[in-house]
Amino acid sequence: MRKKIVAGNWKMNKTVGEAVALVEGLKLELANVVGVEAVVCPPFTALKTVSDLIADTEIKLGSQNMSSEDDGAYTGEVSHGMLKELFVKYVILGHSERREYYKETDYWINKKVKKALEKNLRPIVCVGEKLEDREAGKTEAVVEAQVRGSLADITAEQFEDVVVAYEPVWAIGTGKTATAEQAQDVHKFIRGIIADMVGQEAADGLRIQYGGSMKPANAAELMSQPDIDGGLIGGAALDAASFAGIVNAGM
Ligand code: PGA
């Protein structure tokens, strides 16, 4: 049985002061959650503060990116060691905004995924097609290339620590959610690719989140699909009650 995982990707939102207010709200809202893993991914600048605030809770900490390198002359980058010191457990890698605006490719995402796994951090690896891909009937081809590229050379055993997030780019921040059926189809397709790459057992154990305008109102239907194991939440993660509403929908 796969445990559902709902992660809040705060993106470039929340100063330290604002992060404190949000986390105080989340601690109250999520106090009685069982059976669902809740993760918050603040910007780097708020990680330390949020880490301290959630230390006595079940809420886990994630970052929104990580360097593929250990240390050294990489201006603006943040390493696995810096994250682990703050008790970060998850790292979002290959988000579509990083692919689009910062030209991150599957090659680099794969390097980061390998580094994260080697250092016992759990990558949340994002894949998803753009609107033009979907309209051209290329959804499966695009998603398959991203899955095979960003997860190349990962062993079946390592897959136990991997989470994949399927996020159709046309649904991110647009209010347009994929229907439960559209999402389920792609999730099932992704699980099939993983089975082909590393075997059925690892594929069956892999948690695949849906992301793209997930809200309390649509979360239960999405997460009731057989291959949807949680959500990666942007906009709705910036408000304690709405994030908690989504986490509760996974229970
Ligand atoms: P959204 O973002 O929930 O605001 O659509 C999801 C994401 O980008 O992870």
Side-chain angles (χ1 to χ4, degrees):
M1 201 25 203
R2 299 184 293 266
K3 189 174 185 177
K4 292 224 168 18
I5 174 166
V6 176
N9 173 12
W10 297 6
K11 308 190 180 183
M12 197 172 72
N13 295 294
K14 305 292 177 187
T15 62
V16 171
E18 290 164 348
V20 170
L22 176 53
V23 172
E24 295 294 4
L26 286 174
K27 285 173 73 165
L28 294 174
E29 297 272 356
L30 296 176
N32 300 316
V33 170
V34 281
V36 181
E37 211 174 339
V39 184
V40 289
C41 307
F44 289 125
T45 45
L47 280 174
K48 165 75 175 132
T49 304
V50 172
S51 183
D52 291 345
L53 286 172
I54 63 175
D56 60 346
T57 75
E58 294 292 317
I59 304 169
K60 309 258 173 56
L61 190 62
S63 69
Q64 299 173 23
N65 193 7
M66 187 197 83
S67 172
S68 56
E69 305 306 315
D70 292 323
D71 53 39
Y74 300 99
T75 302
E77 292 291 290
V78 172
S79 74
H80 55 83
M82 297 167 183
L83 297 174
K84 287 182 72 173
E85 188 182 28
L86 303 182
F87 305 105
V88 168
K89 294 266 178 311
Y90 289 92
V91 288
I92 299 172
L93 295 175
H95 190 276
S96 65
E97 287 149 18
R98 300 225 47 98
R99 291 176 183 266
E100 176 78 8
Y101 306 139
Y102 305 100
K103 306 297 170 222
E104 277 191 25
T105 59
D106 288 320
Y107 170 82
W108 284 102
I109 296 160
N110 183 237
K111 274 190 82 151
K112 293 179 181 191
V113 170
K114 286 176 178 161
K115 181 60 75 178
L117 290 168
E118 182 193 313
K119 300 297 175 184
N120 293 317
L121 285 161
R122 299 176 175 187
I124 296 176
V125 184
C126 305
V127 298
E129 83 286 1
K130 296 183 193 171
L131 184 60
E132 67 244 39
D133 301 324
R134 180 161 281 266
E135 286 175 348
K138 291 187 189 154
T139 297
E140 292 196 346
V142 168
V143 169
E144 176 159 10
Q146 290 175 342
V147 168
R148 289 192 185 273
S150 58
L151 293 166
D153 310 318
I154 305 305
T155 65
E157 200 187 355
Q158 285 179 311
F159 259 101
E160 287 171 22
D161 288 327
V162 173
V163 175
V164 170
Y166 168 59
E167 300 202 299
V169 178
W170 48 271
I172 295 179
T174 58
K176 277 192 216 165
T177 322
T179 64
E181 197 187 348
Q182 282 174 323
Q184 165 58 25
D185 283 351
V186 182
H187 281 235
K188 191 174 171 200
F189 175 70
I190 292 171
R191 204 176 298 287
I193 301 167
I194 305 299
D196 183 56
M197 289 169 69
V198 288
Q200 194 62 49
E201 201 183 326
D204 286 341
L206 174 72
R207 293 184 295 177
I208 308 177
Q209 296 174 313
Y210 169 80
S213 299
M214 203 192 252
K215 307 250 173 326
N218 59 27
E221 195 194 354
L222 285 158
M223 286 193 275
S224 67
Q225 301 301 310
D227 289 290
I228 301 185
D229 308 307
L232 182 56
I233 320 303
L238 300 176
D239 174 79
S242 69
F243 185 68
I246 297 171
V247 175
N248 282 320
M251 289 213 297

